């Protein structure tokens, strides 16, 4: 990429709606509040069909993706034939199949091996087994036979015991008839002011004769100062967040961390190793990873560089590359969770643009 660093800018929802269609379509699974789908729309794709079974995530998705069919069932009950019938297409005609199966069991931030293959609380009171959901994605991949696919998971999937799952996923994707490649990508090198490392699987159907291609990292990154410049906060929200911090013992640790450090600084440095998840972010650096659970009142998490509080939702939108006018439903904690679970839209936009340029457009000219 060019070394020239453009100003950080997230297109508005109105601008995204006016983006010309690039001629390609998407079917999405495990769609959450629609972060990945928004990235595809930024890149000019049409998202025809999506699936999400968490109720509050469904509300957020519907508020922002009105032209997409949203299937609200458990993915285990959905068949490829049903999707094809609803869309009026045949197997092989979908351009891109997307999915981000829930991945907390593989996360380096969680209890990785403990409780595998057991039903666990996932989101908003929903419970399900986590580890086998990737196989549901692969089941639909086999039936739909899209030209390309993108699947996303946490970096922990290629570490420790979880590597066995990773190898099995790759094998089964290849057995579906695809050239498959997987790579760890960090959102901070793809236009997002957040250090968020994710494992991205790319696949291209064998008959197309093209290998998967990943986007090249930018030569620059954006920092929090650039991200939240000009952000309009609700002052009542700021005051509430400050008062909320004062109710917890972590507040005394947060006050000890210098304002606007040169890099994100953990509370562990000021509390003998405790409160290591309490992070005072820096205006000079990309934000640390926004974890979905850090918006809970009881949780330590990402805190403002200059104030003794967590980020406002308006600030989080900028940090996660979500438009200011994107509608988030539910409580503060639920809105934080939606943003924390999303693949940053601008990251996915760059992945999608690369797939169009290096794979789909070349198929048209063959």
């Amino acid at each position: 990429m060019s070394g020239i660093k453009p100003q950080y800018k997230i297109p508005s929802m109105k601008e995204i709606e006016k983006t010309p269609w690039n001629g390609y379509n998407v079917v999405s699974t495990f769609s959450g509040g629609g972060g990945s789908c928004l990235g595809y729309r930024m890149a000019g794709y049409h998202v025809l069909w999506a699936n999400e079974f968490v109720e509050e995530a469904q509300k957020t998705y519907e508020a922002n993706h009105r032209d997409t069919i949203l299937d609200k069932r458990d993915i285990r009950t959905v068949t490829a034939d049903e999707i094809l019938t609803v869309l009026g297409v045949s197997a092989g005609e979908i351009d891109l199949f997307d999915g981000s199966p829930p991945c907390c069991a593989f996360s380096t931030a969680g209890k990785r091996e403990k409780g595998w293959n057991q039903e666990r609380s996932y989101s908003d009171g929903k419970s399900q087994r986590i580890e086998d959901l990737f196989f549901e994605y692969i089941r639909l991949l086999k039936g739909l036979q899209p030209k390309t696919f993108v699947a996303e998971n946490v970096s922990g999937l290629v570490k420790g015991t979880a590597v066995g799952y990773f190898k099995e996923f790759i094998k089964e994707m290849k057995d579906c008839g695809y050239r498959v490649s997987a790579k760890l990508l960090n959102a901070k090198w793809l236009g997002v002011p957040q250090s968020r490392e994710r494992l991205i699987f790319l696949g291209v159907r064998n008959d197309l004769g093209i290998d998967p291609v990943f986007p090249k990292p930018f030569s620059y990154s954006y920092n929090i100062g650039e991200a939240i410049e000009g952000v309009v906060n609700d002052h009542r929200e700021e005051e509430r967040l400050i008062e909320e911090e004062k109710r917890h013992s972590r507040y005394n640790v947060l006050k000890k961390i210098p304002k606007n450090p040169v890099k994100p600084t953990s509370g562990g440095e000021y509390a003998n190793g405790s409160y290591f998840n309490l992070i005072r972010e820096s205006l000079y650096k990309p934000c640390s990873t926004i974890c979905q659970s850090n918006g809970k009142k009881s949780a330590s998490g990402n805190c403002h560089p200059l104030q003794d509080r967590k980020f406002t939702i308006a600030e989080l939108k900028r940090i996660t590359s979500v438009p200011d006018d994107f509608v988030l439903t539910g409580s503060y904690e639920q809105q934080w969770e939606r943003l924390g679970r999303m693949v940053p839209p601008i990251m996915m936009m760059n992945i999608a643009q690369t797939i169009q340029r290096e794979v789909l457009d070349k198929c048209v000219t063959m």
Side-chain angles (χ1 to χ4, degrees), residues 76-109:
R76 294 181 178 88
T77 68
V78 179
T79 69
D81 284 343
E82 288 174 326
I83 298 172
L84 295 172
T85 298
V86 167
L87 297 180
V89 299
S90 301
E93 293 184 349
I94 293 168
D95 295 309
L96 192 153
F97 180 51
D98 166 79
S100 298
C103 48
C104 59
F106 306 128
S107 175
T108 56

Side-chain angles (χ1 to χ4, degrees), residues 13 15 61 71 74 95 199 203 209 221 227 246 253 279 281 294 336 352-353 365:
M13 293 300 293
E15 289 172 329
Y61 193 97
D71 188 304
D74 186 319
D95 295 309
L199 180 65
S221 63
K246 291 180 179 179
V253 179
I279 306 294
E281 301 291 349
N294 282 354
W336 181 300
Q353 288 175 336
T365 58

Side-chain angles (χ1 to χ4, degrees), residues 10-282:
I10 307 167
S12 69
M13 293 300 293
K14 290 183 179 180
E15 289 172 329
I16 294 169
E17 289 172 1
K18 294 178 181 178
T19 301
W21 183 35
N22 67 1
Y24 302 112
N25 58 54
V26 175
V27 164
S28 172
T29 54
F30 308 99
S31 305
S36 290
C37 291
L38 197 59
Y40 292 120
R41 289 175 59 190
M42 289 177 178
Y45 291 72
H46 279 180
V47 182
L48 304 179
W49 183 97
N51 172 269
E52 175 54 48
F53 94 131
V54 174
E55 184 175 352
E56 203 61 52
Q58 294 168 356
K59 293 177 182 177
T60 292
Y61 193 97
E62 289 180 317
N64 298 283
H65 301 272
R66 293 183 294 272
D67 295 333
T68 299
I69 298 169
L70 181 63
D71 188 304
K72 300 180 180 180
R73 294 175 292 166
D74 186 319
I75 196 69
R76 294 181 178 88
T77 68
V78 179
T79 69
D81 284 343
E82 288 174 326
I83 298 172
L84 295 172
T85 298
V86 167
L87 297 180
V89 299
S90 301
E93 293 184 349
I94 293 168
D95 295 309
L96 192 153
F97 180 51
D98 166 79
S100 298
C103 48
C104 59
F106 306 128
S107 175
T108 56
K111 298 177 180 178
R112 300 178 62 212
E113 285 82 8
K114 185 177 180 181
W116 280 10
N117 292 319
Q118 297 178 11
E119 189 167 292
R120 67 175 75 199
S121 176
Y122 170 59
S123 176
D124 292 350
K126 294 280 190 177
S127 296
Q128 62 178 193
R129 296 187 312 279
I130 302 297
E131 293 78 19
D132 62 349
L133 288 176
F134 215 119
F135 294 110
E136 297 298 326
Y137 173 84
I138 295 172
R139 173 180 61 83
L140 293 175
L141 172 68
K142 183 177 182 179
L144 295 173
Q145 288 293 295
K147 296 183 181 80
T148 65
F149 71 79
V150 179
E152 176 265 351
N153 219 288
V154 292
S155 63
L157 187 56
V158 290
K159 301 171 183 176
T161 308
V163 170
Y165 276 104
F166 169 74
K167 291 179 179 178
E168 188 168 359
F169 294 157
I170 290 285
K171 179 182 180 301
E172 293 214 9
M173 289 172 171
K174 289 181 176 179
D175 289 345
C176 289
Y178 288 83
R179 298 184 184 186
V180 182
S181 186
K183 188 174 184 179
L184 287 173
L185 299 180
N186 196 317
K188 72 178 180 180
W189 298 119
L190 289 174
V192 181
Q194 179 190 179
S195 181
R196 188 179 188 87
E197 191 175 55
R198 285 299 181 265
L199 180 65
I200 304 295
F201 296 83
L202 298 183
V204 181
R205 207 172 59 215
N206 286 337
D207 64 290
L208 300 179
I210 301 173
D211 290 328
V213 181
F214 291 90
K216 294 180 180 179
F218 294 7
S219 61
Y220 55 83
S221 63
Y222 293 106
N223 58 45
I224 291 179
E226 293 165 318
I228 65 175
E229 182 179 0
V231 70
V232 179
N233 279 330
D234 183 332
H235 295 302
R236 292 170 299 179
E237 182 183 15
E238 288 183 305
E239 293 171 2
R240 179 183 63 77
L241 291 172
I242 292 172
E243 291 303 312
E244 183 60 44
E245 287 303 297
K246 291 180 179 179
R247 297 189 182 100
H248 299 276
S249 58
R250 64 175 182 261
Y251 181 70
N252 292 323
V253 179
L254 179 59
K255 288 195 300 182
K256 294 179 181 179
I257 306 175
K259 301 289 175 63
N260 197 23
V262 295
K263 63 180 181 179
T265 302
S266 167
E269 297 182 28
Y270 295 85
N272 297 319
S274 300
Y275 297 98
F276 63 90
N277 285 330
L278 180 66
I279 306 294
R280 169 86 74 186
E281 301 291 349
S282 169

